[in-house]
Amino acid sequence: QVQLVESGGGLVQAGGSLRLSCAASGRAFSSYAMGWCRQAPGKEREFVAAIGSNAGNTYYADSVKGRFTISRDNAKNTVYLQMNSLKPEDTAVYYCAADRLFSSIATMRGTNYWGKGTLVTVSS
């Protein structure tokens, strides 16, 4: 069982930056692929970024490529999402996800574990 708790959301002006954190419970954190998804008001949840268990693989949605960076610290059981050059369309609840399979995170299919989310609001 893995429990995920996100933090770092808030209100920021367009062009600004935020760093989200996701703290995971459990001793097997380093064996899980991790990722971030988001859901804007009135829209479906969408994939944002994924990172492999040893941080060797990363994958991003086209909409955030070049602006967002996903990273992880296995010693701290934490995954991060550095978000730069934020746009109003980045406004959403951001969810942390964990799964044994990288593909499950990248496709959002059958992902085993989800956090409760943290709200990011980007003002214009």
Side-chain angles (χ1 to χ4, degrees), residues 47-119:
F47 168 76
V48 174
I51 188 166
S53 58
N54 62 0
N57 291 339
T58 57
Y59 179 61
Y60 297 92
D62 287 343
S63 59
V64 307
K65 202 173 294 183
R67 300 188 297 122
F68 291 10
T69 302
I70 188 170
S71 61
R72 65 189 296 161
D73 185 337
N74 286 345
K76 295 182 178 179
N77 280 18
T78 301
V79 63
Y80 304 98
L81 186 68
Q82 178 66 44
M83 305 185 295
N84 298 329
S85 301
L86 283 161
K87 305 175 181 180
E89 52 263 43
D90 294 318
T91 294
V93 177
Y94 283 71
Y95 297 91
C96 179
D99 199 277
R100 296 282 189 180
L101 297 177
F102 184 86
S103 59
S104 293
I105 302 292
T107 62
M108 292 175 50
R109 293 177 182 174
T111 305
N112 275 330
Y113 303 105
W114 293 94
K116 294 184 178 181
T118 184
L119 177 63

Side-chain angles (χ1 to χ4, degrees), residues 12-56:
V12 64
Q13 288 188 335
S17 298
L18 279 176
R19 189 177 81 155
L20 305 183
S21 300
C22 172
S25 66
R27 294 179 293 176
F29 175 78
S30 61
S31 67
Y32 284 86
M34 302 293 296
W36 293 90
C37 300
R38 67 187 182 185
Q39 187 166 17
K43 295 187 177 181
E44 293 185 353
R45 191 174 294 191
E46 65 174 357
F47 168 76
V48 174
I51 188 166
S53 58
N54 62 0

